[in-house]
Amino acid sequence: MTTRTTLFAVALPFALFSASALADWSTTVTGVSDYTFNGVSQTQNDPAIQGSLDYSFADSGMYAGMWASNVDFGDDTNIEWDAYFGRYAQLTEAVSLDYGIAYYSYHGQSNSSDGNYFEAYTKFGYVSEFGQTELNFWYSWDYFGTGAGHVISMLAHTIELAPNHALRASFDVSNSLDGDKFAWDTDGKSYNHYRLAYQTSLAGFDIEVAGENTSLDIDTADERIVLSIGRTFSL
């Protein structure tokens, strides 16, 4: 989840708190043409329906929530269900900090839970006249239940093209710290992910069209266009 489409998205669910911190309870429903996690499809290049339920403590900046999506790993695992807890802080007028911990869980067959794992994250934001810059990190000590340490590092920048129209460019590196336990391919322990996204909203719906690619040589991580349409409701 964390940066799954992101996150926003989703890579990453976490990002919505900066926009809806005034709401105690909120829920977001999103449809995506492909659920990608750092450029790797989690649905065999097929669409996904995703939803979250979130609670924010406006005075402290703390938040908690759950997020779910359909997945397809080529077996009977069909649901990813995540939980997270963190804190968003505005350190200065220009600098923000978002940090916390997430738990990823998988469901559908008896051994789906073998892939469950925790992940800690820290995200820095900087707003200037040139847009918003992000420096984000995710760390797991048991990546997908393999016992491998794993780090994701991301640099992103968003510029406003016009009111209600933005362009976000990002680059991230996924790196296994224990190649003997988990490796992304036979050529190495890490890979690069590139993404360029156009973002807007219409009639209460958040819309994103993104082009992305990775350095992996597999069908589920090659170049693609991903469409995302979501809506957030305050409860």
Side-chain angles (χ1 to χ4, degrees), residues 122-219:
T122 303
K123 304 179 181 183
F124 300 93
Y126 176 73
V127 178
S128 70
E129 59 182 311
F130 304 106
Q132 176 173 311
T133 302
E134 305 165 46
L135 184 59
N136 305 328
F137 302 95
W138 296 263
Y139 169 70
S140 174
W141 50 95
D142 183 26
Y143 196 61
F144 277 103
T146 62
H150 189 270
V151 174
I152 302 170
S153 306
M154 172 187 286
L155 177 65
H157 187 73
T158 303
I159 59 172
E160 185 181 51
L161 303 174
N164 198 37
H165 299 275
L167 195 64
R168 182 177 187 269
S170 62
F171 170 75
D172 53 89
V173 179
S174 295
N175 184 47
S176 174
L177 304 180
D178 298 288
D180 57 333
K181 297 179 180 178
F182 181 91
W184 282 103
D185 57 30
T186 57
D187 296 328
K189 300 185 298 181
S190 66
Y191 75 93
N192 302 327
H193 172 223
Y194 321 86
R195 195 169 192 267
L196 182 64
Y198 164 73
Q199 302 170 330
T200 187
S201 61
L202 179 66
F205 290 89
D206 296 317
I207 302 170
E208 180 182 82
V209 181
E212 57 184 314
N213 198 3
T214 76
S215 59
L216 292 172
D217 187 21
I218 55 177
D219 292 340

